[in-house]
Amino acid sequence: MNRRIIQIVRRFGPVGGMEEYAWQLTCALAKTGHPVEVLCEVDDSNGDLDVPVTALGTSPRRHRWRKHLHFSSKVEKWVARQRANSCFLHSHEMVTHADLCTFHSTPHGMGENSAWWKRLDPTWHANQWLERRVLSTARCVIPVSQLLHQQLTDRHPYLKGTLASPVPPGIESAPPVDRTLEPVLGFMGWEWERKGLPLALKIHRNLPHTQLLIAGPSQKHLNGLLHETDRVEVMGRVDRDTFFSRIRLLIHPARLEAYGMV
């Protein structure tokens, strides 16, 4: 009997970089006939993919590390109810165990050598612990870029026996753009603060003849950030192709990214 491939991701759907990776991988596995299922917190797939999806529900916790811990606990309980050796666990999250862990983000603390004061925050140490836990318990760890592979090698030398070669995301062709339109800038990112929207707005304001389209956050998330004089359209969650077909230039000044997926 084939083992069921369980994709573990908190938000299931094409709603972000890591989420898009997990979504496309699930689509590809389903097309090739593999017995694939999804274990998530929230199902954002809108039923577009014909695979079993188990949504465990969102966490009421405030801090991000506590949300990860809450989700991990629910996953552990779900796995305990399955038949022994019936599942192959492929996780994209900070869970207690995985047969395969795809690692998407910059290792915690990278690029923060001068920010010694962060080590005074218990949250910083909690995130460090969550990262070490998933990396040390996964049977195989696959980074999404060569840069990330090198960062993991440097930061976690104990991974020598489990760290595999990187598997970068595939690249899709961009839709055609009408070059006769006025100069329209675009910003896309649900986590708009980390992705650099304040800097994107500053760039836009220094280019007075441009318009800025913001995809991802809704108007209510940006209260107090926008000026009445800004030529800005807040699109919220929008189809990716619709967004890219309307812009001339994407501005994505994220502070730190593990892979230049954009």
Side-chain angles (χ1 to χ4, degrees), residues 225-243:
L225 188 67
L226 305 179
H227 301 163
E228 290 186 5
T229 55
D230 290 334
R231 298 183 64 201
V232 170
E233 179 182 341
V234 181
M235 306 176 72
R237 289 186 58 182
V238 66
D239 176 73
R240 183 179 54 191
D241 288 345
T242 299
F243 169 76

Side-chain angles (χ1 to χ4, degrees), residues 48-100:
D48 293 339
L49 193 58
D50 187 22
V51 299
V53 177
T54 300
L56 301 175
T58 58
S59 169
R61 308 299 194 270
R62 178 183 174 186
H63 296 102
R64 188 169 183 175
W65 71 269
R66 296 188 70 184
K67 291 179 182 291
H68 282 297
L69 202 59
H70 187 257
F71 177 65
S72 173
S73 176
K74 285 191 171 185
V75 169
E76 193 171 8
K77 292 176 182 177
W78 183 90
V79 172
R81 295 193 295 266
Q82 311 306 308
R83 293 193 307 275
N85 299 320
S86 65
C87 302
F88 180 89
L89 304 178
H90 181 177
S91 180
H92 305 267
E93 301 287 354
M94 302 295 184
V95 296
T96 54
H97 170 76
D99 295 292
L100 175 62

Side-chain angles (χ1 to χ4, degrees), residues 80-173:
R81 295 193 295 266
Q82 311 306 308
R83 293 193 307 275
N85 299 320
S86 65
C87 302
F88 180 89
L89 304 178
H90 181 177
S91 180
H92 305 267
E93 301 287 354
M94 302 295 184
V95 296
T96 54
H97 170 76
D99 295 292
L100 175 62
C101 169
T102 295
F103 201 81
H104 297 263
S105 60
T106 302
H108 188 263
M110 291 292 292
E112 298 179 357
N113 293 335
S114 61
W116 59 266
W117 50 268
K118 289 193 176 184
R119 288 151 179 78
L120 302 177
D121 182 1
T123 298
W124 191 92
H125 294 279
N127 286 319
Q128 285 275 22
W129 171 73
L130 282 170
E131 179 174 291
R132 288 196 194 98
R133 185 181 68 163
V134 65
L135 291 174
S136 62
T137 57
R139 296 176 61 186
C140 180
V141 177
I142 295 183
V144 297
S145 70
Q146 185 59 49
L147 171 63
L148 189 51
H149 184 280
Q150 187 60 54
Q151 290 174 335
L152 287 171
T153 300
D154 295 341
R155 197 162 190 85
H156 302 289
Y158 61 84
L159 290 177
K160 186 176 181 180
T162 56
L163 186 62
S165 300
V167 180
I171 304 299
E172 294 183 1
S173 300

